[in-house]
Amino acid sequence: DTAVSQTPKYLVTQMGNDKSIKCEQNLGHDTMYWYKQDSKKFLKIMFSYNNKELIINETVPNRFSPKSPDKAHLNLHINSLELGDSAVYFCASRRQGAGGNTIYFGEGSWLTVV
Amino acid sequence: SQQGEEDPQALSIQEGENATMNCSYKTSINNLQWYRQNSGRGLVHLILIRSNEREKHSGRLRVTLDTSKKSSSLLITASRAADTASYFCATEGGNEKLTFGTGTRLTIIP
């Protein structure tokens, strides 16, 4: 039983394309996140949603648009992909108002832009 | 700039030895957490220590926190080959945003 699942796991695409990564959590959590991990393993938060509302929006190009159809899903759509977008994207979730509680991560989506 | 920085960046030890990793951060925190990432996998939560705590144990893990020095350490005792992974500290402030450090890559040599 996967707690946080994201698809696809691997994605290779050409520059300029538009792609989406889907994320679902079955933990009943209210807060979901997208993190980006670069080639140096540095992990940085991109977005945070709480009950389908955007809470955190770090300095991310507006080519990246998160969409939360319900609190169990947070998808990431990327327009006009660039070489620098190549990274591993992690979805995560935790309970609302759960400062200090565990964040559960998905297995990651490896995006390669060629 | 990033909140946490781990030291060392990479660590190789013999199986059975203890491994110590350090994390330094810059601003005040509510808590600090340690995560493990196996190669090609997501991050897994290991342990959380709150700002009013100084030490915490979980199995073979021991975490210390010194808020005056803005630093934390993770000790893994009696290391095993399965402990080979990258370890990240993450700090959480008042906005509940978790900010990750740069990670320590630990290799346990059988």
Side-chain angles (χ1 to χ4, degrees), chain A residues 43-112:
Chain A
L43 197 69
K44 185 174 181 180
I45 189 169
M46 299 174 67
F47 301 103
S48 168
Y49 268 71
N50 192 331
N51 273 321
K52 303 193 299 178
E53 290 189 21
L54 182 65
I55 302 300
I56 295 173
N57 184 351
E58 293 294 293
T59 307
V60 176
N62 57 16
R63 298 182 295 104
F64 290 79
S65 53
K67 288 193 171 47
S68 182
D70 55 63
K71 73 174 192 177
H73 296 83
L74 181 61
N75 304 321
L76 183 64
H77 189 75
I78 315 171
N79 290 326
S80 303
L81 279 156
E82 300 177 356
L83 293 176
D85 297 332
S86 295
V88 185
Y89 293 86
F90 287 97
C91 179
S93 74
R94 75 174 176 184
R95 282 188 291 117
Q96 179 183 4
N101 280 14
T102 301
I103 288 184
Y104 292 82
F105 282 84
E107 291 292 285
S109 294
W110 270 251
L111 172 64
T112 302

Side-chain angles (χ1 to χ4, degrees), chain B residues 49-68:
Chain B
I49 187 166
R50 300 188 187 279
S51 60
N52 61 353
E53 297 176 311
R54 291 296 167 260
E55 186 171 314
K56 207 160 183 181
H57 297 254
S58 177
R60 294 183 295 113
L61 306 180
R62 173 178 166 252
V63 168
T64 62
L65 178 64
D66 187 335
T67 52
S68 65

